[in-house]
Amino acid sequence: MNRLGAYLTALTAASALVAGPQTGQPFVDSLFLATHNSYSGNVDGAKNSIPYQLDHGVRFVELDVHDNGYAANHDYSIGHSSPGDLVDHNGNPASNLLRDWLNMIAGWSNAHPTHAPLVVMLDLKDDLTDNPNFATGNLTALNAELQSAFGSSLLHPADYVGSPSVDSLRGRVLTLLSGDSGTRTEYKRDVGYHPAVAVNGRGRIVEVHDSGGGALWYWTGTLGADGTVTWLRHGKYDSGVTPAVALNDAGQLVEVHQSQTATTLWYHVGQLGADGEITWQDSHQYDNGVTPTVAFTGSGSLLEVHKSQSSSQNWTWNGVLSGATVSWSGNAKTSSALLPKSSARGVTVYTGADGPTEASTLRYTDSGVTGGRIRYQQTAFDEFQDGDNAVLQQGALFYAAPATDSSFIVAGRQSGHLVRGWDFDSAGDATTPLANYPATNTPWTPWYQSLVSAAVQ
């Protein structure tokens, strides 16, 4: 057989194995064609376009993602060292915007509803934890983009139960976070200090806390009938310490906190939107003191209690919410205790380690959940790489390392994980067992096709 014939035979065999029956084959025991820097096509390597890759059996594609320009584009960008770097637009989207590339892949998936499970990996080249809210491209924004692109085809980590077969996952797309380890770690847990919570009669939740370094952050969510909280939006809103928050049924909120560097007390008015985002008004100083607490006593009336900055005496204010401000009156000493701020309507927030996580991990307990993490919705899977921290290893399905890191790849396979070996560009990189996803820059070479085909068989 000549070289072309051998290539076509190997290509046909491998493509059939990764896209064909594999009836009953456990997903974690299966091997798939995979490409490294899939977006780079023939600019870097010899891969051709992503649609071509998918048409010819590739079931793991990588997109390198940057947040540079998010404010202007309202989207992330594709590229290796920077947006547009090493991007092959031939047969791929003309733009570098992530949304266009995800929609292209989703369109292919929708047109091939029986395809073997497809992994779309985002290699995060930038730190997304310094994006202070949804509008600037934090992980809530990334989640929303993934969900919008893939819809009901998207397989969430919570949907991955037991040891599913390849057949049971046909037509599904699994998104995977790789790259910046700080971002991947924050995706699995959030940390903070002095958490406070408010829950209104409609089951809407606002949590506030300080960073321990002077920043004030919020989470919003909804409380389900089963007691599970769906956390919706996350963001930074000011600087300070020891915050507290009150929330009424109209979604109006009043937040109080102490200055980071002084004993001045400040308040914000905010409006919680239907999407879970808060529109914050400017902060205003209303007194001096420490450890402020606040609660609604009516739809627009408030009670605030704080401690003196110079003694154990507590002081109180009455407030009336009017538009973007509160009118405070009736300041007086009080024998009343500080108002409860860490529990509301059966929801309690606190900090505590969860397995390998830090003692400052933000957690909650209610009627349906004990010790849940306050964190981003787990829309994507989170990759564990050789050398990563224990938080990233906890519960990870996907493992990854350079293709030359044979001991890690073998150990990962033997422990029942889905393992990626990147820069798999030589037959000498092969291990026994082979990585589930030997991610190569040259997927159409006969040695690669034959190797994957032989390993599957």
Side-chain angles (χ1 to χ4, degrees):
M1 182 181 295
N2 61 29
R3 184 173 181 178
L4 177 60
Y7 163 74
L8 293 175
T9 298
L11 177 61
T12 300
S15 296
L17 285 164
V18 296
Q22 290 194 337
T23 302
Q25 176 82 3
F27 183 38
V28 294
D29 293 336
S30 301
L31 304 180
F32 302 88
L33 299 184
T35 50
H36 178 241
N37 293 343
S38 312
Y39 60 89
S40 66
N42 294 333
V43 172
D44 180 34
K47 297 177 284 285
N48 295 326
S49 68
I50 288 180
Y52 181 95
Q53 294 171 40
L54 297 174
D55 282 341
H56 291 80
V58 169
R59 293 296 175 264
F60 185 109
V61 295
E62 173 189 348
L63 302 176
D64 288 356
V65 176
H66 299 264
D67 63 1
N68 306 43
Y70 191 95
N73 299 325
H74 305 293
D75 198 5
Y76 310 91
S77 298
I78 300 297
H80 192 247
S81 60
S82 61
D85 179 45
L86 299 181
V87 177
D88 189 347
H89 294 288
N90 187 25
N92 291 318
S95 83
N96 295 318
L97 299 181
L98 175 63
R99 185 175 296 107
D100 293 337
W101 290 71
L102 294 178
N103 287 337
M104 173 189 69
I105 296 168
W108 183 93
S109 175
N110 292 335
H112 300 81
T114 62
H115 66 74
L118 170 60
V119 176
V120 179
M121 190 196 81
L122 305 183
D123 188 348
L124 304 175
K125 295 298 187 180
D126 297 328
D127 179 1
L128 302 192
T129 67
D130 57 4
N131 298 338
N133 52 36
F134 184 94
T136 57
N138 69 1
L139 284 163
T140 51
L142 184 61
N143 272 345
E145 193 157 322
L146 296 175
Q147 189 63 57
S148 175
F150 297 112
S152 60
S153 297
L154 189 62
L155 184 77
H156 294 231
D159 300 328
Y160 189 94
V161 179
S163 182
S165 68
V166 170
D167 281 347
S168 70
L169 299 180
R170 288 194 177 281
R172 306 304 297 273
V173 177
L174 293 75
T175 53
L176 177 63
L177 300 185
S178 183
D180 184 72
S181 61
T183 303
R184 287 185 287 126
T185 301
E186 184 175 277
Y187 193 71
K188 299 190 73 171
R189 62 94 185 97
D190 193 17
V191 294
Y193 299 86
H194 310 113
V197 69
V199 184
N200 68 15
R202 298 179 179 178
R204 308 198 70 195
I205 300 175
V206 174
E207 182 274 347
V208 293
H209 61 273
D210 68 63
S211 67
L216 292 171
W217 293 81
Y218 68 90
W219 282 95
T220 68
T222 57
L223 180 62
D226 62 353
T228 300
V229 176
T230 300
W231 298 103
L232 298 173
R233 294 289 178 93
H234 178 46
K236 179 182 177 183
Y237 66 94
D238 204 347
S239 59
V241 294
T242 62
V245 65
L247 176 69
N248 67 19
D249 287 354
Q252 296 170 303
L253 62 95
V254 175
E255 179 272 351
V256 294
H257 64 270
Q258 179 186 336
S259 168
Q260 178 191 3
T261 57
T263 55
T264 53
L265 298 179
W266 300 76
Y267 80 91
H268 281 278
V269 170
Q271 179 65 51
L272 178 60
D275 58 0
E277 194 56 79
I278 297 174
T279 302
W280 293 96
Q281 304 299 326
D282 291 339
S283 63
H284 304 275
Q285 184 181 353
Y286 67 94
D287 203 349
N288 293 292
V290 295
T291 58
T293 60
V294 67
F296 275 103
T297 57
S299 61
S301 57
L302 295 149
L303 176 65
E304 188 272 357
V305 180
H306 65 271
K307 184 180 175 181
S308 168
Q309 70 274 26
S310 58
S311 72
S312 60
Q313 178 65 53
N314 285 349
W315 290 78
T316 185
W317 284 95
N318 295 315
V320 176
L321 176 62
S322 178
T325 61
V326 174
S327 297
W328 299 102
S329 64
N331 183 220
K333 293 180 180 179
T334 181
S335 60
S336 298
L338 298 176
L339 300 170
K341 73 169 197 172
S342 60
S343 295
R345 296 180 185 268
V347 178
T348 299
V349 296
Y350 64 101
T351 58
D354 185 15
T357 72
E358 302 91 328
S360 55
T361 300
L362 294 168
R363 304 179 69 182
Y364 76 98
T365 291
D366 58 26
S367 61
V369 173
T370 300
R373 295 184 190 179
I374 301 174
R375 65 178 181 180
Y376 295 102
Q377 293 181 43
Q378 301 297 282
T379 301
F381 291 81
D382 213 337
E383 188 175 68
F384 170 66
Q385 296 183 6
D386 194 5
D388 277 343
N389 59 56
V391 176
L392 286 170
Q393 186 175 15
Q394 184 187 36
L397 174 64
F398 288 88
Y399 279 31
T404 53
D405 192 348
S406 57
S407 60
F408 181 85
I409 291 171
V410 170
R413 283 299 314 274
Q414 290 176 340
S415 58
H417 294 89
L418 288 160
V419 184
R420 172 176 70 102
W422 71 80
D423 275 335
F424 194 98
D425 291 331
S426 167
D429 294 330
T431 55
T432 304
L434 192 64
N436 304 83
Y437 298 105
T440 185
N441 292 291
T442 57
W444 318 126
T445 55
W447 71 263
Y448 180 80
Q449 294 281 330
S450 297
L451 178 66
V452 175
S453 175
V456 172
Q457 292 175 330

